[in-house]
Amino acid sequence: MEGMKKERRILVTFDIDGTLIRSTGPNSNQLHRQAFSYAFNQVFGIDGGTIDVIQHHGSTDPAILVNTVVHYGISSEVAVEKLPALKSKMVEYAKATTGDIGKGLEVLPGVESLLQALSSKNNVFIGLVTGNLEEIAWMKMEGLGIKRDFTVPNIGGFGSDHTDRGQLVRIAAERAEKLFPGGFDLRVHVGDTPNDIKAAEFGGAVAVGVCTGFFTKEELEQASSGNAIILQDLSDCGKFLNLLGI
């Protein structure tokens, strides 16, 4: 009865920016960046506000919203109080300009092949764990033509859920378990920042780091408790599948 052997159930979640896709050219991540600026202006009247005034790589959209408006002189208490309005305005802008979602973005090498290979496995469930707000996250995936390879119904943990990335890894697992009961034999989270590594380990997943963002192999390794797997990129599909034991 070897053929009846139960397949290991695997949940793989991916960060987006710097992991699956990258910003390019003069219109780098245009829609997302402009959505922030629109929210700053609509809620606080901050004209010409930009997230570039703070260090935001590896952060979540809510944390970026709060930290940026604090930089512009808003108290942290008021910033947090107005966070729902800020998030709502970001989504409002993104939905109104959805045709621009792919501007200044491109899918990183190997990502499409890897997602297709993973999605062909009945025992692998694919989701997102990202600091992006949920609506904007899936709009990016759709606009760049890779949403089709994620498990349906879509699963993940998003900046709209929590400011802490570690909590997002847990939230994604809980949602996946509710939608696809039966438990997971392996959970993996893939990201390009030290915060992704820490979040994966905090959330009970195997951390896989990729050096396709702003951080080096050494910086990603230093963020780990010692068990993270660091890859140069996601271009070697076979290597990634071997890592999962597939």
Side-chain angles (χ1 to χ4, degrees):
M1 299 293 285
E2 187 62 33
M4 299 296 288
K5 186 178 176 182
K6 181 180 177 289
E7 282 190 303
R8 294 165 75 238
R9 284 165 50 99
I10 302 169
L11 174 64
V12 185
T13 56
F14 291 92
D15 170 57
I16 295 179
D17 301 291
T19 301
L20 294 176
I21 67 176
R22 65 182 163 203
S23 301
T24 59
N27 298 319
S28 170
N29 201 7
Q30 180 175 301
L31 182 143
H32 199 176
R33 297 169 69 86
Q34 289 181 345
F36 279 108
S37 299
Y38 177 80
F40 301 147
N41 183 272
Q42 291 292 304
V43 178
F44 289 114
I46 298 169
D47 194 23
T50 169
I51 62 173
D52 289 334
V53 296
I54 65 164
Q55 163 54 259
H56 54 79
H57 299 295
S59 193
T60 59
D61 282 8
I64 294 169
L65 286 165
V66 169
N67 292 337
T68 305
V69 297
V70 166
H71 173 90
Y72 284 113
I74 308 298
S75 75
S76 56
E77 291 79 13
V78 172
V80 171
E81 179 191 326
K82 293 291 186 181
L83 188 53
L86 287 164
K87 291 193 286 188
S88 176
K89 288 297 178 183
M90 279 189 72
V91 173
E92 176 182 292
Y93 180 86
K95 286 182 175 176
T97 54
T98 184
D100 293 337
I101 193 68
K103 282 187 179 176
L105 294 173
E106 67 181 16
V107 179
L108 281 160
V111 165
E112 290 184 66
S113 298
L114 175 60
L115 290 176
Q116 288 167 11
L118 291 173
S119 66
S120 72
K121 311 290 184 184
N122 292 329
N123 60 319
V124 178
F125 302 82
I126 315 165
L128 294 173
V129 168
T130 172
N132 290 193
L133 302 181
E134 183 170 7
E135 292 93 338
I136 293 175
W138 290 119
M139 283 171 66
K140 284 183 180 180
M141 298 298 92
E142 182 71 47
L144 290 165
I146 55 177
K147 185 181 178 185
R148 64 178 181 269
D149 294 313
F150 287 85
T151 300
V152 179
N154 293 142
I155 47 180
F158 303 91
S160 28
D161 299 316
H162 206 286
T163 55
D164 185 315
R165 274 183 182 267
Q167 296 295 342
L168 301 186
V169 173
R170 289 183 173 178
I171 287 168
E174 288 164 6
R175 286 179 173 157
E177 177 59 39
K178 283 179 184 172
L179 287 167
F180 308 100
F184 296 100
D185 301 291
L186 174 66
R187 289 196 289 118
V188 175
H189 176 58
V190 187
D192 67 294
T193 73
N195 283 348
D196 288 305
I197 301 294
K198 292 173 183 173
E201 293 178 350
F202 175 84
V206 173
V208 176
V210 286
C211 306
T212 43
F214 289 88
F215 298 92
T216 64
K217 181 174 187 283
E218 290 70 31
E219 287 173 312
L220 296 178
E221 285 173 341
Q222 286 165 11
S224 172
S225 62
N227 297 316
I229 299 161
I230 312 300
L231 305 174
Q232 200 57 41
D233 53 36
L234 294 174
S235 61
D236 190 337
C237 181
K239 186 174 184 178
F240 192 92
L241 294 179
N242 286 338
L243 181 155
L244 300 183
I246 300 174

